[in-house]
Amino acid sequence: RVRVRQDGLSSATDEYHGINGNVSLDRRSEIVQSPNRYDLVPGLGASDRSNNNSLSRTSETGTYDLSSAEARARNGFNNNGTAGSGGLHTVDENVINNNNNNNNNNVHHYQNQPTVPTHATMIGGNGVNGGSGTLRSIDEEIKKKKWPTDRAYFLAKELLMTERTYKKDLDVLNTWFREELTPEDVENLQPLFQYFDSMLEHHSVFLRDLEHRILLWEGRGGHETHRIGDVMLKNMVVLPIYDEYVESHREILQRLNDLYENDERFQQTYRDFELQKVCYLPICYFVLKPLHRLLHYQLLLELLLEHYGEDHFDYTDCHGTLMMLTRTTEVVRNELASSENYTLLCEIQRDLDGFDTLVQTDRKLIRQGCLLKHSKRGLQQRMFFLFSDILLFAFKSPVTQTFKVLGHVPVRALLTENAEHNAFVIFGGQRAITVSAGTTAEKTLWLQELTKAAAAVRQKPNTQLPMVSVKYCTSSEENLETCGLNNSLLNPPAKPPSSRNNTALHVCWHRGVTICLEDHLRAGQNQISGYLLRKFKNSSGWQKLWVVLTSFCLYFYKSYSDDAALASLPLLGYTVGPPGVQDAVQKEYVFKLSFKNHTYFFRAESEHTYQRWLEVLRSATQMQDLKLSTGAGNHHTTSNNNNGNGSTATTPTE
């Protein structure tokens, strides 16, 4: 892609991003059909290319690279600066406009964005060319161009966009985290880095294959290039590596946790790395990314086959790829629930004070969330953790930002009773705890799962867990030792402040919502990336951002090539849907995210992309039927700007 300057010359130094956004929002030029042989390493000479054979594909017909595509795009302009048939057209949809200049989170200018004329000017040698028509005629000419509209194209593009994010996720551990470790630590985690090395080597090639195919699909490639199954089928050569990783990843997770618990130096390195901007998720979440990626491949293939008929020329390759992939994903699905549960136990343990033996082989997280505990002082916010064998309740320390356990009840001794409104009673001995949920639906979920968990544990042999009465486990800290809790609760060791205020656990506390293990599993399988236009409720300008949705949170980047997110928006408790008449948004493919009085609008490039984002967001916002009407704490967007002491700063979104 080339940018035309006001003097009519193209900037040869501008970076070429390939397929860097929504086609319908950023239609800059067309790429002439290339030969079958290509080398997608931009800017390399002949001698350099000879050393990069592992990242290229060759046949007998010539060479294709991004630099030659850029040169052909520049040749679309004649000598006096008038745009030719393959020239660059600027449309008002590309204006990156934001009226909220005081908001530090907003990005007002982007690299490689052309200057958009504010009047009816033309692209010419001096910025004005009286013989080339008006801006309106340029818009009309663009509308006449035939851009891909097939659903298969948008599914292929989703594959490309998410592949970019996945490759960067692999780099977070394999490159960034490895650099922080000592040689001894690297040796201890050698299996992890060996697998990630192999995956990265393969996915670098696969990503270039995808970019080349989408370039042809969007440009002047023939009908035979309007397919993706052959590229994915070739990608399946990596499956043996994934088969081994699926078998070994649990051992890697356990090794990480052992090092964290038993080596103070490694624990400090681990925590320090999670404070870095590039590490936007807890480290152990990245270990599960390869498993999630395989499930996403399967989903996209199933959607493609649903779209194709059996007579489609791409059907056979897609079907064959799916058959090969399914053998691996069946094992992934069997293993993932246990691994996700183990990861959650480890993460909760690191945010918990006063209960040091949470990670147990047979312990399963069922639900976590906020309830209001009735006491003589009134309603007190408490975080409840329901596991397969024990119920914990805690409150969040404003100093350490960790959760301080106040009491626990063995599930075997647990009984419940319904109460009026959204209240219910938990019996755990000679005394009861009365709590209130935010909504009737939330109350129903808690009652069902508490009852189900108690029934399940009573069918198993008694493991002789000490019987604990809630009679002494009150919100005050009296007699906590009697309840079997760790003595360190009375004099807890100083824990560093938590750096993960946008994780599901902390968002549940601030929003007053609840979440279960099944929600985490569903979130792992519903991830998406791509360019969207974003607008705040009280602004008129649309801002183009690279958006990544993972782990119940949106992460905003200026470009897909950026390492650190500009800001993040946790989604638990949000509702998602089309804008209403009162919103006065006169654009197509717009959806609205809202929580209390906070509203954001996002615009997709097509009907298909709009529907895909809605589908995934409805999973990430967790429950459409549980529109929680109450939530504690003030809403905020987390901005990845570290302050002087290394903690993550938070700034209001509006």
Side-chain angles (χ1 to χ4, degrees):
R1 193 177 70 189
V2 201
R3 181 174 64 184
V4 177
R5 301 201 303 258
Q6 290 294 332
D7 58 6
L9 299 177
S10 60
S11 175
T13 60
D14 284 345
E15 182 182 359
Y16 184 85
H17 287 293
I19 312 304
N20 76 329
N22 297 330
V23 173
S24 65
L25 302 178
D26 194 11
R27 297 168 175 172
R28 302 306 179 88
S29 62
E30 294 185 7
I31 305 301
V32 179
Q33 181 180 1
S34 66
N36 293 329
R37 177 179 166 191
Y38 56 94
D39 181 354
L40 291 182
V41 185
L44 293 182
S47 60
D48 293 324
R49 289 193 186 96
S50 65
N51 297 325
N52 286 274
N53 293 333
S54 62
L55 301 183
S56 63
R57 290 288 179 272
T58 60
S59 67
E60 302 176 358
T61 56
T63 299
Y64 175 88
D65 62 15
L66 292 183
S67 58
S68 65
E70 189 175 4
R72 283 196 296 275
R74 287 197 295 271
N75 290 335
F77 295 85
N78 57 32
N79 294 331
N80 63 6
T82 305
S85 61
L88 171 66
H89 299 298
T90 305
V91 295
D92 58 356
E93 292 297 340
N94 292 315
V95 178
I96 308 305
N97 182 8
N98 197 309
N99 295 329
N100 193 353
N101 295 321
N102 295 324
N103 192 335
N104 292 331
N105 290 334
N106 292 342
V107 180
H108 303 288
H109 302 288
Y110 289 84
Q111 261 189 332
N112 302 326
Q113 285 290 73
T115 302
V116 179
T118 55
H119 304 289
T121 58
M122 283 64 66
I123 303 176
N126 297 317
V128 177
N129 186 342
S132 62
T134 64
L135 182 61
R136 180 178 178 182
S137 67
I138 294 176
D139 292 339
E140 291 172 352
E141 183 180 347
I142 288 176
K143 292 178 181 178
K144 294 177 183 178
K145 288 185 179 293
K146 294 182 179 180
W147 296 94
T149 58
D150 185 24
R151 189 184 182 206
Y153 161 75
F154 292 110
L155 288 170
K157 192 170 178 182
E158 179 181 338
L159 176 64
L160 169 62
M161 298 298 187
T162 51
E163 188 69 17
R164 285 171 168 166
T165 299
Y166 175 58
K167 183 176 177 294
K168 292 187 75 68
D169 286 344
L170 294 178
D171 271 324
V172 170
L173 292 191
N174 197 59
T175 302
W176 297 85
F177 184 49
R178 194 199 299 219
E179 289 178 354
E180 302 294 324
L181 300 177
T182 65
E184 180 184 356
D185 293 334
V186 172
E187 182 65 27
N188 287 330
L189 295 173
Q190 193 60 34
L192 170 67
F193 297 126
Q194 285 178 343
Y195 284 120
F196 274 39
D197 274 335
S198 299
M199 292 175 187
L200 272 167
E201 183 178 358
H202 170 81
H203 285 280
S204 296
V205 179
F206 180 47
L207 182 58
R208 285 162 174 78
D209 288 349
L210 288 174
E211 288 182 332
H212 176 252
R213 179 54 54 86
I214 300 299
L215 275 170
L216 293 179
W217 206 327
E218 293 177 351
R220 294 176 180 173
H223 181 66
E224 70 279 358
T225 65
H226 297 178
R227 58 189 299 178
I228 202 66
D230 58 329
V231 179
M232 293 199 71
L233 185 61
K234 185 167 57 177
N235 179 44
M236 290 301 104
V237 299
V238 77
L239 277 181
I241 298 174
Y242 279 91
D243 289 334
E244 293 181 14
Y245 184 77
V246 172
E247 293 180 4
S248 305
H249 78 280
R250 183 62 182 271
E251 181 182 343
I252 292 171
L253 285 170
Q254 291 172 342
R255 186 172 298 186
L256 266 174
N257 189 56
D258 289 343
L259 287 170
Y260 183 92
E261 296 295 336
N262 301 318
D263 188 336
E264 291 185 3
R265 178 189 52 77
F266 179 84
Q267 181 179 133
Q268 188 60 48
T269 302
Y270 191 103
R271 285 183 171 273
D272 289 344
F273 181 72
E274 286 193 333
L275 288 173
Q276 293 188 25
K277 296 179 181 181
V278 71
C279 186
Y280 67 102
L281 295 172
I283 289 174
C284 55
Y285 286 15
F286 289 104
V287 178
L288 297 181
K289 285 292 184 180
L291 281 67
H292 295 153
R293 189 60 182 154
L294 292 178
L295 296 178
H296 193 235
Y297 288 153
Q298 182 179 16
L299 171 64
L300 292 179
L301 285 167
E302 289 171 348
L303 292 174
L304 277 168
L305 291 174
E306 181 183 323
H307 170 66
Y308 292 150
E310 292 188 6
D311 296 334
H312 194 280
F313 67 95
D314 197 26
Y315 184 90
T316 301
D317 284 342
C318 287
H319 186 265
T321 305
L322 181 61
M323 291 300 100
M324 295 174 63
L325 186 63
T326 300
R327 291 193 292 268
T328 302
T329 55
E330 284 177 354
V331 180
V332 169
R333 293 183 190 278
N334 291 333
E335 296 287 335
L336 189 56
S338 174
S339 300
E340 195 87 49
N341 179 70
Y342 181 82
T343 299
L344 290 170
L345 291 180
C346 292
E347 285 302 306
I348 293 172
Q349 179 71 83
R350 291 162 196 170
D351 273 326
L352 213 58
D353 273 340
F355 198 90
D356 295 335
T357 58
L358 186 64
V359 182
Q360 301 290 334
T361 304
D362 297 328
R363 180 168 288 155
K364 176 184 175 183
L365 173 67
I366 299 176
R367 180 167 292 278
Q368 64 186 29
C370 271
L371 296 171
L372 297 177
K373 179 179 175 294
H374 295 224
S375 71
K376 294 179 181 179
R377 301 177 185 176
L379 296 179
Q380 298 175 325
Q381 185 180 1
R382 295 289 179 261
M383 192 73 182
F384 279 76
F385 302 89
L386 174 61
F387 301 98
S388 54
D389 61 337
I390 194 170
L391 174 69
L392 301 178
F393 57 96
F395 79 98
K396 186 174 181 179
S397 166
V399 178
T400 64
Q401 296 297 303
T402 56
F403 290 90
K404 191 172 182 180
V405 175
L406 299 176
H408 71 284
V409 182
V411 172
R412 184 179 293 274
L414 188 148
L415 295 171
T416 60
E417 181 180 279
N418 195 5
E420 51 185 36
H421 303 301
N422 294 330
F424 59 96
V425 185
I426 300 173
F427 296 94
Q430 298 178 354
R431 188 166 175 171
I433 301 176
T434 302
V435 293
S436 290
T439 65
T440 303
E442 184 184 351
K443 165 188 168 181
T444 302
L445 280 175
W446 274 106
L447 284 174
Q448 288 176 346
E449 292 185 343
L450 285 166
T451 303
K452 184 178 178 180
V457 76
R458 287 172 190 143
Q459 294 176 0
K460 299 178 181 179
N462 194 339
T463 56
Q464 300 300 319
L465 186 68
M467 296 294 290
V468 181
S469 170
V470 258
K471 176 179 180 180
Y472 301 108
C473 296
T474 61
S475 57
S476 62
E477 298 176 17
E478 56 183 306
N479 297 320
L480 288 175
E481 190 173 353
T482 308
C483 298
L485 297 178
N486 192 312
N487 290 335
S488 63
L489 180 60
L490 299 176
N491 297 289
K495 274 195 175 184
S498 174
S499 61
R500 290 298 169 195
N501 286 324
N502 60 349
T503 60
L505 173 58
H506 292 273
V507 175
C508 283
W509 174 264
H510 290 293
R511 302 267 174 84
V513 298
T514 177
I515 196 171
C516 67
L517 177 61
E518 294 302 318
D519 294 322
H520 282 280
L521 290 172
R522 192 161 50 247
Q525 300 174 33
N526 286 276
Q527 304 184 23
I528 195 169
S529 308
Y531 281 98
L532 294 174
L533 296 181
R534 183 188 69 176
K535 187 179 84 71
F536 296 108
K537 179 174 61 175
N538 297 322
S539 67
S540 58
W542 291 86
Q543 187 179 21
K544 185 178 178 182
L545 295 170
W546 173 261
V547 185
V548 175
L549 170 56
T550 184
S551 299
F552 309 104
C553 192
L554 286 177
Y555 296 90
F556 303 106
Y557 300 79
K558 185 185 298 185
S559 166
Y560 72 84
S561 59
D562 289 353
D563 293 321
L566 298 168
S568 63
L569 178 63
L571 294 173
L572 288 175
Y574 267 77
T575 58
V576 59
V581 177
Q582 70 280 4
D583 295 314
V585 178
Q586 306 299 325
K587 298 289 184 181
E588 290 183 314
Y589 316 133
V590 175
F591 56 86
K592 177 174 73 170
L593 280 169
S594 56
F595 174 77
K596 295 187 175 178
N597 62 332
H598 300 277
T599 302
Y600 306 89
F601 300 97
F602 295 89
R603 186 181 176 198
E605 64 168 329
S606 68
E607 175 66 24
H608 169 81
T609 310
Y610 166 79
Q611 293 295 343
R612 281 290 294 141
W613 274 96
L614 274 184
E615 177 186 348
V616 178
L617 281 166
R618 282 170 177 155
S619 171
T621 52
Q622 183 219 353
M623 291 177 232
Q624 299 77 53
D625 56 337
L626 273 185
K627 296 179 179 178
L628 305 181
S629 57
T630 62
N634 294 326
H635 162 73
H636 61 271
T637 291
T638 304
S639 175
N640 290 346
N641 294 321
N642 287 357
N643 54 28
N645 59 14
S647 61
T648 300
T650 59
T651 55
T653 58
E654 294 182 347

